[in-house]
């Protein structure tokens, strides 16, 4: 009887061990599945643009591109893939294969944000120059077509303005016909357009000629260790300016109710 009872107890313990082990494996499997599902459900925003949006390391700090600080504008479901590169125009970005690199990675449900204009106007540089209502639009359309072929959603952003003021303290537009050409293309192709030219110039007017310096790379001699001789740059943002521009982008995403994105804004 004792031997039978002992065997029964051993069998019962074995069943409990198997049951616990199976439960642990099931929990781990469910946890793994949940992680994969969460990853698969992420939406990426790929940024194609120039130096006003691109990433900068510590050696260039506090110079910061607005896309470099766009991630915190969203919850964890949105991931920013910043492919913007200094010095590029809508033409040179394509000619160097950078759009192809994005299209090789981008997936359905993702977004392609497209902002060019600063370097497209450089008529003395044939590698970058485009004409607003002809070649500029035709190059931008390649981004739109490429995104749509991959089942992703293109969004156009007019170029952020440089810091320029009239004698009476009014912010000046610095991109000629390029913003209007982009907006025209947006209407023709039924693509959302975030008008950062307009939003940025409104911001500069609010801050005025002196206050707006705090957005840009303006430092006196000896004020910052990375720029010991000082710098007066009216094109590139310091971190404060990049964050304010990123906030304007987020506000426009909310205002335009861009699908999948506006509902994941963190603010």
């Amino acid at each position: 009887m004792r031997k039978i009872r002992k065997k029964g107890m051993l069998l019962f313990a074995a069943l409990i061990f198997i049951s616990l082990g199976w439960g642990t494996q099931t929990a781990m499997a469910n946890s793994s599945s949940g992680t994969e599902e969460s990853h698969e459900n992420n939406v990426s925003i790929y940024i194609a643009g120039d130096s006003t949006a691109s990433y900068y390391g510590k050696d260039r700090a506090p110079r910061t591109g607005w896309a470099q600080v766009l991630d915190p504008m969203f919850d964890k479901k949105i991931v920013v893939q910043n492919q913007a590169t200094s010095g590029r125009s809508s033409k040179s970005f394509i000619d160097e294969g950078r759009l192809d690199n994005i299209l090789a990675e981008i997936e359905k449900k993702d977004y392609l944000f497209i902002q060019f204009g600063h370097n497209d106007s450089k008529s003395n540089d044939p590698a970058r120059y485009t004409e607003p209502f002809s070649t500029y639009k035709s190059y931008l359309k390649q981004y739109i077509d490429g995104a749509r072929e991959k089942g992703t959603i293109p969004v156009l952003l007019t170029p952020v303005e440089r810091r320029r003021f009239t004698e009476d303290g009014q912010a000046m537009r610095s991109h000629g016909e390029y913003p209007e050409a982009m907006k025209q293309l947006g209407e023709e192709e039924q693509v959302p357009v975030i008008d950062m030219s307009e939003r940025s110039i409104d911001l500069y007017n609010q801050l005025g000629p002196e206050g707006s310096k705090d957005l840009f790379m303006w430092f006196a001699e000896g004020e910052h260790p990375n720029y010991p001789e000082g710098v007066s740059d009216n094109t590139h943002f310091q971190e404060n300016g990049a964050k304010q521009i990123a906030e304007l982008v987020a506000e426009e995403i909310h205002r335009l109710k861009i699908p999948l994105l506006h509902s994941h804004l963190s603010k």
Side-chain angles (χ1 to χ4, degrees), residues 194-215:
I194 296 177
D195 193 350
M196 291 308 299
S197 298
E198 192 68 30
R199 290 305 308 268
S200 59
I201 209 163
D202 286 346
L203 175 62
Y204 306 162
N205 275 324
Q206 289 173 20
L207 296 173
E210 287 303 313
S212 59
K213 288 181 180 179
D214 292 337
L215 303 176

Side-chain angles (χ1 to χ4, degrees), residues 172-189:
M172 297 171 58
R173 300 184 186 278
S174 58
H175 294 302
E177 296 178 317
Y178 289 92
E180 185 57 36
M182 180 179 277
K183 287 187 279 188
Q184 186 182 93
L185 179 65
E187 289 184 9
E188 294 168 357
E189 295 295 322

Side-chain angles (χ1 to χ4, degrees), residues 52 62-64 160 204 215-217 235-238 241-242 245:
T52 60
R63 183 163 163 174
T64 309
V160 291
Y204 306 162
L215 303 176
F216 290 87
M217 290 293 292
T235 297
H236 301 103
F237 302 109
Q238 56 174 290
I245 295 297

Side-chain angles (χ1 to χ4, degrees), residues 29-221:
N30 288 339
S31 175
S32 174
S33 173
T35 301
E36 289 176 5
E37 183 179 355
S38 176
H39 176 71
E40 289 172 359
N41 286 338
N42 283 346
V43 174
S44 290
I45 302 174
Y46 282 78
I47 310 291
D50 52 40
S51 60
T52 60
S54 63
Y55 171 84
Y56 297 96
K58 292 182 179 179
D59 61 322
R60 305 290 297 277
R63 183 163 163 174
T64 309
W66 63 261
Q68 187 175 345
V69 289
L70 187 62
D71 240 350
M73 302 295 136
F74 299 95
D75 63 27
K76 293 182 179 180
K77 287 290 186 180
I78 308 299
V79 179
V80 176
Q81 304 284 355
N82 188 7
Q83 302 296 321
T85 309
S86 292
R88 272 58 182 187
S89 69
S90 63
K91 177 182 187 297
S92 64
F93 196 92
I94 289 176
D95 291 345
E96 293 174 3
R98 297 178 186 277
L99 175 58
D100 288 339
N101 291 340
I102 290 175
L103 296 179
E105 294 181 9
I106 202 167
E107 298 178 353
K108 287 184 179 179
K109 80 184 178 317
D110 289 341
Y111 280 78
L112 177 58
F113 277 26
I114 308 146
Q115 185 185 66
F116 291 100
H118 276 80
N119 299 304
D120 286 76
S121 62
K122 296 184 177 180
S123 57
N124 60 344
D125 185 354
R128 295 188 287 181
Y129 177 67
T130 62
E131 195 280 331
F133 289 100
S134 58
T135 48
Y136 179 59
K137 287 176 63 178
S138 67
Y139 276 106
L140 291 176
K141 190 173 183 303
Q142 291 183 51
Y143 294 82
I144 294 168
D145 292 343
R148 284 174 167 168
E149 285 174 9
K150 293 298 297 282
T152 64
I153 304 169
V155 176
L156 295 168
L157 295 87
T158 60
V160 291
E161 291 288 349
R162 296 182 176 91
R163 178 188 166 277
R164 293 180 179 174
F165 285 86
T166 62
E167 290 184 358
D168 61 352
Q170 294 299 305
M172 297 171 58
R173 300 184 186 278
S174 58
H175 294 302
E177 296 178 317
Y178 289 92
E180 185 57 36
M182 180 179 277
K183 287 187 279 188
Q184 186 182 93
L185 179 65
E187 289 184 9
E188 294 168 357
E189 295 295 322
Q190 296 299 294
V191 173
V193 179
I194 296 177
D195 193 350
M196 291 308 299
S197 298
E198 192 68 30
R199 290 305 308 268
S200 59
I201 209 163
D202 286 346
L203 175 62
Y204 306 162
N205 275 324
Q206 289 173 20
L207 296 173
E210 287 303 313
S212 59
K213 288 181 180 179
D214 292 337
L215 303 176
F216 290 87
M217 290 293 292
W218 268 75
F219 295 101
E221 183 178 349

